[in-house]
Amino acid sequence: MGFNKKMKTSIIESDIIIGMLDTGVWPESESFNDTGFGPIPKKWKGTCQKSANFTCNNKIIGARYYLTDGDNGPEDFISPRDAEGHGTHTTSTAAGGLVSQASLFGIAKGTVRGGVPSARIAVYKICWSYGCSDEGILAAFDDAIADGVDIISLSVGSSIPFDYFEDSIAIGAFHAMKKGILTSNSAGNGGPTPGSVVNVSPWSLTVAASTIDRKFVTKVKLGNGQIYEGATINTFDLKGKMYPFIYGGDAPNLTLGVASEFSRYCFPGALNATLVKGKIVFCEYFTDYEGVLEAGALGAVFQDTGNKDFQFSYPLPFSTLNVNDGRMIINYLNATENPTATIFKTSQDNNQFAPFVVSFSSRGPNPITTDILKPDLTAPGVDILAAWSEASTVTEDDTRRTRYNIISGTSMSCPHATGAAAYVKSFHPTWSPAAIRSALMTTAIPMTSNNNIEGEHAYGAGHINPLQATDPGLVYDAGEIDYVKFLCGQGYTIANIQLISGNSSSCSEETDGTVWDLNYPSFALSSTPGKSITRVFYRTVTNVGSAVSNYRAVVNAPPGLIIQVQPSVLSFEYVGQQQSFVVTVGAELGNSMISGSLIWDDGVHQVKSPIVAYASIML
């Protein structure tokens, strides 16, 4: 991924410093080559923590690590060096340089680049084999803020959402926001369960994961010539050679008393190694690869009822097929005396339905503050090729090393949004975190519920559009006092607000604002099913487009939703001028969500905001 604009020079981009809080980085990767980079920006105040096995350069200008007792394993490097691969992947996605002929063993071969390849990188290793500690996260935030980073990227999150005052990431992001630094967060991989979204603080950017226009397919050919299309990333090339093909149910491990009714699922220990060794095994239900691997199978084909909108790599030739194709294969195995098959190396095809939010991406509604829409937007996070740690293998139980790997997750979409935020920051270095987030949200490409029935609870404001985000026309700005007002209005105690803000904050009539008063680029309201509800939203926009301009309110209100905007026209006479308006939304709530929108249109800019009403039963 990369963003280009002829008016933009890499000189300005090279002053942008992205702070990556992750598992560290593999500094020798070609993605972090500093050829052509000038001196380190004068604003940089950080350090490259001394280590016997890690050296910074003019691309990776700083690196630190934060080790808490018990977090590291024997494979970890006690340095900023990445032993796992995750941090190297996310870092190169956000700001890696151009590298030609990159691939995963020939798959997806081409030129890779990060969102802002000229940006500098500061590495903060917070995650180890056994986890990412709150102490390390908070310390890394403190250091990144003091070091002078411009954007913080954090592809880390808990499996369940925590309230803001209990969430080290939310607390760290608040402190970063106070210093003008936007934190880009992954939304989590708990989808499609409703209410599974994490990292939902309104002062950070929450990023869902969506597909790209490329998909990978792994074909299986039978001895009868029939070919079936599966969904994995198979890096092994069998050269089209046909191998003996056996049904797992015909190879039970009788020594352990396993019956064919169990061995057909190919669980660990269920297969007779003598019967399956050197053969391709067909398994009726996808569990994992360990059973066929330990039994010595040459490869495996699994029947899989799960989602096939993303793929994994495996340590042996492997493909997963849908149930209908699985039945055809069972019929072939039952009707053929000496069945054979082969598994082809993965090829790529066009994904005509992209972009849509992938099944694993965590969904709203927001479980902490129901009337703030989260995630904020979505970005590419499926089957992403990026740099990898050479200390790590392609996948578990594998021995092969690779310089580039293909993986999926909101961990991958987050650095795409980080790169986009850094790109906007390079054009507008004085913009606040809220202004940058607003620009990304209001220029996002609208999506529909045709491919994601959860609608905005899956994709927020839509699919990220970095080039357009540099010229949004209007922005919804907010700062520390606005978020304190929000917290006061939500009923948080002074003690809890101080845990978040780090200040001796107090709540009063002047600092008590409702959630609907927070100057957010999206609008959400919720209530119990079967109830009529009306909410009033107060918003202020700042003109960052043409000095003299007139914006007209364009409302999309489907049946069941009434949207009124007052005034319906906003006139500006200079850049930086602010205008306020009121949006009144009425909804008849059933058990589902109603989606509308507000667009401020001046004939050049379309400042888009989703408006979502839903029944709280969705949580």
Side-chain angles (χ1 to χ4, degrees), residues 45 131 139 146 191 201 323 341 383 497 526 542 545 575:
K45 300 180 179 64
S201 65
V323 173
D383 299 337
I497 293 174
S526 62
T542 303
V575 173

Side-chain angles (χ1 to χ4, degrees), residues 215-254:
K215 67 177 180 179
F216 295 113
V217 295
T218 299
K219 296 177 181 178
V220 176
K221 182 179 180 180
L222 306 184
N224 62 6
Q226 291 295 310
I227 296 177
Y228 300 95
E229 196 172 277
T232 60
I233 299 172
N234 177 37
T235 56
F236 298 91
D237 190 356
L238 299 181
K239 308 293 185 182
K241 181 180 178 181
M242 305 301 290
Y243 288 89
F245 195 24
I246 188 170
Y247 172 47
D250 292 335
N253 187 350
L254 299 177

Side-chain angles (χ1 to χ4, degrees), residues 238-381:
L238 299 181
K239 308 293 185 182
K241 181 180 178 181
M242 305 301 290
Y243 288 89
F245 195 24
I246 188 170
Y247 172 47
D250 292 335
N253 187 350
L254 299 177
T255 303
L256 294 181
V258 177
S260 61
E261 289 81 5
F262 191 73
S263 67
R264 63 185 178 141
Y265 299 132
C266 303
F267 290 116
L271 295 172
N272 184 321
T274 302
L275 294 177
V276 304
K277 186 175 182 179
K279 299 178 182 177
I280 296 174
V281 183
F282 178 76
C283 309
E284 272 196 70
Y285 180 76
F286 180 66
T287 50
D288 57 43
Y289 59 83
E290 292 180 1
V292 291
L293 186 67
E294 71 176 16
L298 180 134
V301 179
F302 275 70
Q303 180 175 275
D304 184 15
T305 59
N307 294 298
K308 293 180 175 59
D309 50 1
F310 63 100
Q311 287 78 40
F312 289 109
S313 295
Y314 297 90
L316 74 168
F318 200 96
S319 188
T320 60
L321 304 179
N322 63 41
V323 173
N324 290 334
D325 290 346
R327 291 195 187 103
M328 299 298 291
I329 287 182
I330 290 176
N331 292 339
Y332 167 74
L333 287 166
N334 289 335
T336 306
E337 184 174 351
N338 295 302
T340 59
T342 192
I343 303 171
F344 290 104
K345 188 175 182 179
T346 290
S347 59
Q348 65 184 56
D349 201 355
N350 181 58
N351 187 350
Q352 60 180 327
F353 300 108
F356 61 87
V357 175
V358 68
S359 54
F360 63 71
S361 184
S362 290
R363 266 52 170 185
N366 184 333
I368 303 300
T369 307
T370 56
D371 284 3
I372 290 181
L373 181 65
K374 289 285 183 172
D376 291 312
L377 48 70
T378 185

Side-chain angles (χ1 to χ4, degrees), residues 77-152:
F77 298 108
I78 310 303
S79 79
R81 182 174 292 277
D82 180 14
E84 197 269 351
H86 188 275
T88 302
H89 198 280
T90 58
T91 301
S92 66
T93 300
L98 279 73
V99 179
S100 62
Q101 299 298 303
S103 72
L104 173 61
F105 296 116
I107 299 171
K109 180 177 285 188
T111 299
V112 297
R113 61 176 289 188
V116 188
S118 298
R120 315 297 179 120
I121 296 165
V123 175
Y124 302 86
K125 182 175 176 178
I126 57 171
C127 295
W128 306 78
S129 295
Y130 302 137
C132 321
S133 71
D134 289 331
E135 299 95 319
I137 291 170
L138 290 171
F141 265 107
D142 282 344
D143 284 340
I145 294 166
D147 289 347
V149 304
D150 294 291
I151 302 288
I152 289 175

Side-chain angles (χ1 to χ4, degrees), residues 25 27-28 40 44-66 78-81 121-125 143 147:
V25 75
E28 292 84 8
I40 293 171
W44 176 246
K45 300 180 179 64
T47 186
C48 191
Q49 194 165 350
K50 289 184 178 180
S51 170
N53 67 1
F54 194 99
T55 304
C56 293
N57 59 18
N58 282 344
K59 174 67 172 177
I60 301 175
I61 62 174
R64 301 175 186 262
Y65 64 93
Y66 307 84
I78 310 303
S79 79
R81 182 174 292 277
I121 296 165
V123 175
Y124 302 86
K125 182 175 176 178
D143 284 340
D147 289 347

